[in-house]
Amino acid sequence: GPSWLQPPGTAATQSPRKVPRRPEPGVCGPAHWGYVLGGRDRGPDEYEKRYSGAFPPQLRAQMRDLARGMFVFGYDNYMAHAFPQDELNPIHCRGRGPDRGDPSNLNINDVLGNYSLTLVDALDTLAVMGNSSEFQKAVKLVINTVSFDKDSTVQVFEATIRVLGSLLSAHRIITDSKQPFGDMTIKDYDNELLYMAHDLAVRLLPAFENTKTGIPYPRVNLKTGVPPDTNNETCTAGAGSLLVEFGILSRLLGDSTFEWVARRAVKALWNLRSNDTGLLGNVVNIQTGHWVGKQSGLGAGLDSFYEYLLKSYILFGEKEDLEMFNAAYQSIQNYLRRGREACNEGEGDPPLYVNVNMFSGQLMNTWIDSLQAFFPGLQVLIGDVEDAICLHAFYYAIWKRYGALPERYNWQLQAPDVLFYPLRPELVESTYLLYQATKNPFYLHVGMDILQSLEKYTKVKCGYATLHHVIDKSTEDRMESFFLSETCKYLYLLFDEDNPVHKSGTRYMFTTEGHIVSVDEHLRELPWKEFFSEEGGQDQGGKSVHRPKPHELKVINSSSNCNRVPDERRYSLPLKSIYMRQIDQMVGLI
């Protein structure tokens, strides 16, 4: 079998990989990846001919318009056939809401809360594409028709990233004095989206109560709180990826409650990591702190936990977040990364990140899942571009083989383990960020391949449908909201060189749901820093302060208001630019 089956080495023979690496630019040649595609090796001439040349401006404009048209086709059909329900069934041209007849259908009910999910999730995509009239119309519809006073039991994580994040992103777009996307202001706007975000977050707060570890329950009923028969087990990503949205809300409101509970959950999970490896598992009991799922990897159950350690630092400037991320990244390199040290030289197979036991670092299985395709984009953000190039090439090779990314791919058997593709954005996201980092036209070709595959295999009568089977290309009647909020957005931005995201001079970051957030000093104001110490400490004046107890949260929350509390303390730690040195050579394909 490939070297990915072998442990990364013993402590006596192998020193930890230093990160981030900055070797000279290189390529992952086609021959290196022939194994992954079952020996379908091709000579370099084909790849040189297709990918190394420039991407003509006319073709780029054509692909940009195709990406916009893809969004418009999905969005218009949702509005015509599904609104005000949560999702569009694109094959039968009708709407979909929560499955009231089967509360155990978590695949649907975790996500759909009977709050016009697709419309809410798509708001900032309308703005990024410069459609001010539809953005203004959609915002007014959300304000006038969407309510969270619903008897819906939803997953805290999904409600946070899809709904809360979108409301906050749209609010900041409306209130941005520079208006870089065109006139996105709303006449007589009175912070309604911010009030709605606050209302939703308050309804999610019961998840953080009556938990012995501080790690939240996975689900809440928006009317009644935590269901009496709720599960005490939650995934690491679901419980530990709330800090960006909750932190933004807290800092806009001047109310520490939301950031405090989210940060407490992150710290609780972090303190449960293995003392030997530094790794975390993927499922934990929120009452006992016992790891129910001991798998450590980069995909489902853990992905956005790592992502939000870094992105929380970028937004809020808290050194502790960066320290946790750096430690986690080093453990990932030491125990999950297999293959040779460098992408383009040395013995063995190209690098790959595998799933291991969190305590021993031993291989647990031989599959990767499609969510892991986000990781090259995260590596771009920290400057580990060389490794990002190679890892991205692995996922793109799988896409090239099937015209989609199967939910799980077994790299030992060279075949999918789970065959569906629900229009996920992670590979597109990494492609976009790698293009921004390298300006290599190879990634425009990748984006074009993805666009054409989506048009060919997933477009149906009233939108774009989930692929049920990536081999026979059969479809399922579902278009998840992230297709409009992320997949279409990243494809559009990849080809829209002159978009304000790239030209306005404002630094932007994307949440894990692809919602755009400007990075500025206002989000680094922190008037309640003393609350985040474990045992209390001293404020700037040297006075003793204490950490609030769980029963004090309601007291803190009672002082909520929608006026940001002014504070002179600023955090101006420098951010690392994702615009790294240009990669001179083409990335080879599998």
Side-chain angles (χ1 to χ4, degrees):
S3 62
W4 301 325
L5 288 168
Q6 307 304 318
T10 63
T13 60
Q14 181 178 358
S15 58
R17 178 175 180 261
K18 297 179 179 179
V19 293
R21 296 165 59 249
R22 300 257 172 76
E24 289 301 310
V27 298
C28 298
H32 297 156
W33 293 100
Y35 182 90
V36 179
L37 286 186
R40 289 179 175 81
D41 197 0
R42 305 174 185 176
D45 291 345
E46 176 184 344
Y47 297 97
E48 287 287 347
K49 180 179 179 181
R50 181 169 184 186
Y51 292 112
S52 62
F55 203 86
Q58 298 87 347
L59 182 59
R60 186 170 186 153
Q62 182 183 344
M63 292 300 104
R64 179 200 62 206
D65 292 344
L66 181 59
R68 181 196 286 118
M70 182 177 287
F71 171 83
V72 169
F73 186 68
Y75 177 84
D76 285 353
N77 274 288
Y78 165 78
M79 294 304 297
H81 302 291
F83 176 81
Q85 295 190 73
D86 288 306
E87 281 182 354
L88 169 68
N89 289 354
I91 296 175
H92 289 96
C93 304
R94 55 176 177 248
R96 178 200 296 266
D99 187 349
R100 303 298 191 192
D102 182 11
S104 66
N105 186 0
L106 300 181
N107 184 46
I108 296 296
N109 293 330
D110 272 358
V111 178
L112 309 189
N114 193 21
Y115 38 40
S116 303
L117 173 65
T118 297
L119 175 63
V120 175
D121 213 359
L123 289 176
D124 66 307
T125 306
L126 289 166
V128 166
M129 292 185 178
N131 192 341
S132 58
S133 60
E134 190 61 35
F135 174 79
Q136 292 163 345
K137 177 182 175 183
V139 168
K140 291 175 183 176
L141 265 179
V142 169
I143 292 172
N144 293 327
T145 67
V146 173
S147 167
F148 302 121
D149 189 25
K150 298 289 177 66
D151 185 18
S152 298
T153 298
V154 296
Q155 192 183 84
V156 175
F157 171 72
E158 295 290 358
T160 297
I161 66 169
R162 299 201 197 201
V163 183
L164 182 62
S166 187
L167 293 172
L168 293 170
S169 176
H171 168 74
R172 286 176 63 79
I173 289 170
I174 294 167
T175 57
D176 187 346
S177 61
K178 298 179 182 178
Q179 289 296 301
F181 301 108
D183 184 9
M184 300 292 164
T185 58
I186 306 294
K187 184 179 180 181
D188 299 324
Y189 180 71
D190 190 25
N191 297 325
E192 285 92 345
L193 296 185
L194 183 59
Y195 282 110
M196 292 180 69
H198 177 255
D199 177 43
L200 175 60
V202 168
R203 295 173 186 274
L204 299 178
L205 277 182
F208 297 87
E209 299 173 1
N210 301 315
T211 160
K212 295 178 182 178
T213 61
I215 301 169
Y217 287 93
R219 297 172 184 87
V220 295
N221 183 285
L222 296 178
K223 265 187 179 292
T224 62
V226 177
D229 58 346
T230 195
N231 194 346
N232 282 328
E233 297 173 2
T234 190
C235 71
T236 304
S241 306
L242 310 172
L243 185 52
V244 166
E245 289 83 3
F246 275 46
I248 292 172
L249 180 63
S250 274
R251 291 166 191 244
L252 292 178
L253 295 175
D255 180 349
S256 66
T257 304
F258 308 102
E259 180 169 346
W260 189 84
V261 295
R263 191 172 291 278
R264 181 180 62 170
V266 171
K267 290 183 179 180
L269 289 163
W270 183 249
N271 290 335
L272 294 175
R273 70 194 187 281
S274 168
N275 292 328
D276 296 322
T277 66
L279 298 173
L280 294 89
N282 58 344
V283 180
V284 67
N285 185 297
I286 67 170
Q287 301 297 354
T288 66
H290 172 72
W291 288 106
V292 181
K294 299 176 178 62
Q295 177 176 298
S296 191
L298 300 180
L302 275 158
D303 49 356
S304 54
F305 177 81
Y306 302 125
E307 178 186 1
Y308 268 22
L309 290 179
L310 180 61
K311 290 185 175 179
S312 295
Y313 169 72
I314 291 173
L315 273 183
F316 308 134
E318 295 292 329
K319 290 182 179 180
E320 184 180 27
D321 296 334
L322 182 62
E323 290 167 355
M324 286 189 288
F325 174 81
N326 284 337
Y329 194 69
Q330 187 67 64
S331 293
I332 288 168
Q333 300 303 318
N334 291 344
Y335 293 98
L336 273 60
R337 190 183 190 273
R338 303 292 170 88
R340 58 174 176 256
E341 171 70 13
C343 170
N344 59 314
E345 60 186 17
E347 299 296 325
D349 292 289
L352 180 71
Y353 292 82
V354 299
N355 300 318
V356 304
N357 182 287
M358 65 172 290
F359 295 110
S360 66
Q362 297 299 306
L363 187 70
M364 287 193 70
N365 50 58
T366 58
W367 53 260
I368 52 94
D369 67 50
S370 63
L371 291 171
Q372 292 177 229
F374 92 98
F375 197 67
L378 191 65
Q379 291 181 304
V380 167
L381 294 181
I382 62 165
D384 203 357
V385 177
E386 183 77 7
D387 212 51
I389 289 170
C390 236
L391 187 58
H392 173 274
F394 175 82
Y395 294 106
Y396 178 47
I398 300 172
W399 183 284
K400 286 291 291 180
R401 185 172 181 179
Y402 301 106
L405 210 54
E407 192 72 353
R408 283 186 185 174
Y409 181 82
N410 192 307
W411 45 261
Q412 184 180 31
L413 300 178
Q414 305 162 32
D417 274 352
V418 180
L419 288 153
F420 71 90
Y421 168 66
L423 309 174
R424 290 200 189 278
E426 284 76 16
L427 179 61
V428 185
E429 175 187 7
S430 289
T431 302
Y432 165 67
L433 290 170
L434 270 165
Y435 179 72
Q436 291 302 314
T438 67
K439 298 301 180 183
N440 193 312
F442 168 77
Y443 296 105
L444 299 177
H445 288 280
V446 173
M448 182 168 67
D449 274 349
I450 293 173
L451 259 174
Q452 292 173 339
S453 294
L454 291 171
E455 282 289 312
K456 181 177 181 180
Y457 299 124
T458 72
K459 190 173 184 178
V460 292
K461 182 179 179 181
C462 291
Y464 294 84
T466 291
L467 281 184
H468 175 72
H469 197 293
V470 297
I471 297 175
D472 67 23
K473 302 300 188 291
S474 56
T475 55
E476 294 180 18
D477 199 8
R478 187 177 188 187
M479 187 179 82
E480 292 226 35
S481 67
F482 53 64
F483 177 69
L484 298 183
S485 71
E486 297 185 80
T487 308
C488 291
K489 180 187 288 134
Y490 287 127
L491 282 168
Y492 180 80
L493 286 173
L494 174 64
F495 296 108
D496 190 20
E497 184 78 359
D498 296 325
N499 193 278
V501 171
H502 310 134
K503 297 290 188 180
S504 68
T506 301
R507 289 172 173 169
Y508 289 103
M509 189 194 80
F510 296 92
T511 71
T512 196
E513 184 72 8
H515 297 305
I516 195 164
V517 179
S518 59
V519 180
D520 56 50
E521 289 186 352
H522 291 100
L523 291 180
R524 292 192 165 202
E525 296 179 359
L526 184 58
W528 56 81
K529 187 176 179 67
E530 60 270 15
F531 289 161
F532 295 150
S533 63
E534 288 299 318
E535 300 298 333
Q538 291 184 336
D539 63 15
Q540 287 188 331
K543 297 181 180 179
S544 177
V545 295
H546 75 288
R547 178 173 63 88
K549 304 294 189 298
H551 69 268
E552 294 179 279
L553 292 179
K554 292 182 179 179
V555 177
I556 298 170
N557 189 55
S558 66
S559 64
S560 294
N561 60 79
C562 280
N563 298 308
R564 181 172 47 81
V565 176
D567 191 283
E568 296 303 318
R569 287 172 280 186
R570 300 292 177 108
Y571 294 82
S572 55
L573 297 174
L575 300 178
K576 292 183 179 179
S577 172
I578 69 168
Y579 298 96
M580 308 299 295
R581 53 170 173 68
Q582 177 149 352
I583 306 298
D584 297 324
Q585 295 173 283
M586 173 194 78
V587 179
L589 185 60
I590 300 156

